Amino acid sequence: MGTTGAQGGRRVGRPRADQRPDSGLSPRAELLAAAAELFTTRGYAATTTRAVAELAGMRQASMYHYVSGKEELLADLLESTVTPSLTCARELLADDTTPAEDRLWELCRTDVELLCGGAHNLGGLYLLPEVRAERFAGFHAVRAELKDAYRQLLAATAAGGALAKSELELRTDLLFGLIEGVILVHRSDPERPVSAFAEATAEAALRIAGI
Amino acid sequence: MGTTGAQGGRRVGRPRADQRPDSGLSPRAELLAAAAELFTTRGYAATTTRAVAELAGMRQASMYHYVSGKEELLADLLESTVTPSLTCARELLADDTTPAEDRLWELCRTDVELLCGGAHNLGGLYLLPEVRAERFAGFHAVRAELKDAYRQLLAATAAGGALAKSELELRTDLLFGLIEGVILVHRSDPERPVSAFAEATAEAALRIAGI
DNA sequence: ATTATCTATAGATCTATAGATAATGC
DNA sequence: ATTATCTATAGATCTATAGATAATGC
């Protein structure tokens, strides 16, 4: 099982000062979960290493046993957030038996579910100003690929195929903007049931696309 | 003229250590402009009072002669950003000679222009996680009124009038989400000409609305 | 005298390292 | 012996105040 599962009561190493019921997560996963919550609610810069570590159940210094610092936590969270969307996009691009309109709808729906579905508002990480830094180039590359999948699917539709290149780019930007904009909608009303909202957003996306 | 204009060479008070060509702005306006640039690019928490003051051309401590701290700067910037949109919305709501469809289009277009038009990406302030704090309730109240104007205009259209209440709320959220989402689009491509983009977004907004 | 600015700094952080400690493993 | 954690802390900030200074105004 490696280091992932935290079994039973008996663990190697000095016990934690602050005893708590076992979360079932590895210490690194506990740190990531704590960082996700704090980064999305308070912001990255405003979150101290102490706040992350203590929410994860350990002392500030102990965090450095698992990660090099806050940056690594954010980089990990970002990649883990966008990767599932990209996986979905690749599958839909490869599926040439389904009409492009339906595949685009499905990509929108899934993406909204993923952006709004997690325990914390993980999509909110995209909004952090720090994310633009060079350090997170990996995340940006994956996101660019995802956006390109939207473009390709849009171009494969009847309505999209009729567009000039620059017009296609604009529609893609608006479409992608709508999808990412749901992060803001979700932030302002986190109680809304996600699944119906995701479908409604997908309908709206197709309407923007001109379908 | 009050304290707004900085005339000629001769000014009361000790000269600044770092001499620069006159910006034509009052010291407070210089601070606000500096804060706008830094808050939108680096984020609020990551921006130090020193960075703001020095970009504005004065020493860190001198800032406190004009403002009580960073919070006041952000509060001011937020309100100054949303107020023009609300003014426009009120005028459009009062205008009962123009079809609601056209007024909704115009509100969308103007709002996008305002969000994306400024020197810095001022709309980007909306994305800062700190903005949710109670301290900025004034901003949230104004924004809620703006969103309600969207709802009223949408309800006044032929398509919107046919919707059930919950459906109208959902459409309003999607519409408002699209408009605010353009902040993200603008951030990822700040070079795009704003005015054509604003019109394209307004068209897309009407399509979402079902018009 | 009034004003706008400056320099200096106390007090409060926050990060990241060093070294100690309390478990299990062998 | 190995490991995970702890406590302690040095060094680097950052904020906000105190008090000095260098202009103009009268």
Side-chain angles (χ1 to χ4, degrees), chain A residues 39-40 43-45 70-71 73-79 81-82 121-144 180 183 187, chain B residues 39-44 46 127-129 184 187-188:
Chain A
F39 291 170
T40 52
Y44 175 75
K70 281 200 299 180
E71 274 203 343
L73 288 168
L74 182 54
D76 254 45
L77 288 169
L78 285 170
E79 303 233 12
T81 304
V82 71
N121 185 1
L122 275 178
L125 294 173
Y126 291 26
L127 308 180
L128 297 172
E130 291 84 1
V131 167
R132 273 171 292 176
E134 184 60 32
R135 168 73 171 83
F136 306 110
F139 165 71
H140 292 296
V142 176
R143 234 168 66 79
E180 300 220 310
I183 297 167
R187 176 197 268 184
Chain B
F39 291 170
T40 52
T41 55
R42 304 182 191 180
Y44 176 75
L127 308 179
L128 296 173
L184 291 163
R187 177 198 265 184
S188 75

Side-chain angles (χ1 to χ4, degrees), chain B residues 42-175:
Chain B
R42 304 182 191 180
Y44 176 75
T47 298
T48 65
T49 55
R50 157 158 284 146
V52 173
E54 309 242 283
L55 185 60
M58 66 186 73
R59 299 292 198 228
Q60 184 258 345
S62 303
M63 192 179 101
Y64 291 86
H65 193 66
Y66 299 103
V67 292
S68 62
K70 282 200 297 181
E71 274 202 344
E72 185 178 324
L73 288 168
L74 182 54
D76 253 46
L77 287 168
L78 285 170
E79 303 233 12
S80 72
T81 303
V82 72
T83 298
S85 293
L86 184 59
T87 301
C88 169
R90 282 175 175 154
E91 286 168 11
L92 288 166
L93 275 180
D95 169 10
D96 52 6
T97 68
T98 309
E101 286 77 3
D102 297 357
R103 288 182 283 154
L104 183 55
W105 187 91
E106 178 59 16
L107 178 55
C108 293
R109 194 197 61 77
T110 305
D111 214 356
V112 173
E113 289 255 10
L114 289 167
L115 282 173
C116 303
H120 320 293
N121 185 1
L122 274 178
L125 294 173
Y126 292 26
L127 308 179
L128 296 173
E130 291 84 0
V131 167
R132 273 170 292 175
E134 184 60 32
R135 169 72 172 82
F136 306 110
F139 166 71
H140 292 296
V142 176
R143 230 168 68 78
E145 194 185 334
L146 178 61
K147 185 172 168 182
D148 198 64
Y150 274 92
R151 190 187 55 74
Q152 287 183 56
L153 280 175
L154 180 53
T157 66
L163 298 173
K165 180 156 181 290
S166 74
E167 187 65 20
L168 177 65
E169 305 279 336
L170 179 60
R171 292 279 170 109
T172 304
D173 285 350
L174 285 169
L175 192 52

Side-chain angles (χ1 to χ4, degrees), chain A residues 112 115-116 121 123 126-127 143 173-188 197 201, chain B residues 127 173-185:
Chain A
V112 173
L115 282 172
C116 302
N121 185 1
Y126 291 26
L127 308 180
R143 234 168 66 79
D173 285 349
L174 285 169
L175 192 51
F176 204 60
L178 176 72
I179 301 300
E180 300 220 310
V182 303
I183 297 167
L184 290 162
V185 179
H186 181 56
R187 176 197 268 184
S188 75
F197 179 56
T201 306
Chain B
L127 308 179
D173 285 350
L174 285 169
L175 192 52
F176 204 59
L178 176 72
I179 301 299
E180 300 220 310
V182 302
I183 297 166
L184 291 163
V185 179

Side-chain angles (χ1 to χ4, degrees), chain A residues 87-117:
Chain A
T87 301
C88 168
R90 282 175 175 152
E91 287 168 10
L92 287 166
L93 275 179
D95 170 11
D96 52 7
T97 68
T98 309
E101 286 79 2
D102 296 357
R103 288 183 283 154
L104 183 55
W105 186 91
E106 178 59 16
L107 178 55
C108 292
R109 195 196 59 79
T110 306
D111 214 356
V112 173
E113 289 256 10
L114 290 167
L115 282 172
C116 302

Side-chain angles (χ1 to χ4, degrees), chain A residues 13-14 16 59 62 65-66:
Chain A
R14 180 172 176 172
R16 293 188 177 175
R59 298 292 198 228
S62 302
H65 193 67
Y66 298 103

